[in-house]
């Protein structure tokens, strides 16, 4: 390499090191809240750690009128990959948008004061509708459902730790 390329290469790494050390202020405000839908949540680049996952379960009535709860299932597991997804991949793009909504709900719950009700959050209402439609699509005869937002720490093989952040009340299916 010539001398100019070496200096550019060195300057690039010095700039990368500076961005790791220098902390930028967090920009927030009510006007920025309205623009969140246009920007993905980039916090997964910040550090390895807990990630929000959405679980749901449905209830069925047995012959005696008792409620029988199903098991908790992950609503948005990893999608299968195919080579043609490089060109057309609407299913995964929809899944990423839904997971982005779950990330925003987790961030909104963290921003609430202790003991505050998350039921008034816009993201909470959107996640309720998302879970309701997902449950109705999976089990057309469901009468009620419940969802949980869990923060999970993934290891190389399996989930290492999970903490429940929010458990919804029992909600009716649409």
């Amino acid at each position: 390499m010539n001398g100019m390329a070496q200096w550019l290469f060195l300057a690039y790494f010095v700039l990368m090191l500076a961005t790791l050390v220098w902390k930028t202020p967090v920009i927030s405000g009510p006007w920025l809240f309205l623009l969140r839908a246009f920007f993905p949540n980039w916090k997964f680049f910040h550090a390895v750690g807990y990630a929000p996952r959405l679980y749901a379960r449905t209830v069925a009535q047995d012959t005696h009128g008792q409620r029988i709860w199903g098991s908790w299932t992950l609503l948005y597991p990893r999608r299968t990959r195919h080579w043609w997804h490089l060109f057309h991949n609407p299913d995964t793009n929809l899944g990423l948008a839904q997971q982005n909504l779950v990330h925003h709900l987790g961030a909104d719950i963290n921003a609430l004061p202790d003991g505050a009700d998350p039921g008034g959050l816009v993201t909470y209402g959107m996640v309720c509708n998302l879970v309701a439609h997902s449950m109705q699509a999976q089990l057309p005869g469901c009468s009620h459902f419940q969802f949980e937002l869990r923060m999970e720490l993934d290891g190389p093989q399996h989930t290492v730790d999970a903490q429940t952040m929010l458990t919804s009340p029992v909600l009716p299916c649409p």
Side-chain angles (χ1 to χ4, degrees):
M1 284 197 290
N2 62 18
M4 182 66 160
Q6 289 174 342
W7 283 109
L8 288 174
F9 192 68
L10 181 65
Y12 171 76
F13 280 106
V14 168
L15 180 65
M16 290 295 113
L17 183 64
T19 59
L20 289 173
V21 174
W22 182 46
K23 300 293 181 198
T24 58
V26 175
I27 300 171
S28 65
W31 58 271
L32 190 61
F33 179 79
L34 299 173
L35 299 174
R36 282 193 331 181
F38 297 108
F39 301 103
N41 189 344
W42 294 103
K43 286 190 177 187
F44 54 83
F45 287 121
H46 175 67
V48 177
Y50 289 86
R53 303 280 190 267
L54 191 62
Y55 288 83
R57 65 181 180 170
T58 59
V59 68
Q61 301 288 339
D62 70 359
T63 56
H64 304 293
Q66 299 281 338
R67 286 186 172 176
I68 300 173
W69 284 101
S71 61
W72 291 103
T73 57
L74 180 63
L75 282 187
Y76 304 109
R78 272 198 177 284
R79 306 288 209 270
T80 56
R81 296 181 182 170
H82 300 285
W83 66 270
W84 62 81
H85 286 167
L86 289 171
F87 306 105
H88 184 68
N89 197 359
D91 186 46
T92 301
N93 289 340
L94 177 62
L96 288 172
Q98 292 165 340
Q99 188 61 39
N100 190 28
L101 176 62
V102 172
H103 276 267
H104 281 301
L105 176 61
D108 287 349
I109 291 172
N110 277 333
L112 285 175
D114 289 341
D117 181 28
L121 295 172
V122 173
T123 50
Y124 180 82
M126 292 174 71
V127 169
C128 284
N129 288 337
L130 188 64
V131 174
H133 290 291
S134 178
M135 290 290 99
Q136 191 65 29
Q138 290 178 11
L139 300 165
C142 86
S143 62
H144 292 82
F145 70 94
Q146 191 176 25
F147 69 90
E148 272 189 355
L149 181 63
R150 298 180 192 169
M151 298 301 286
E152 293 185 347
L153 181 62
D154 292 332
Q157 307 297 332
H158 61 299
T159 301
V160 176
D161 186 33
Q163 299 172 2
T164 301
M165 184 178 217
L166 168 78
T167 302
S168 74
V170 178
L171 302 166
C173 287

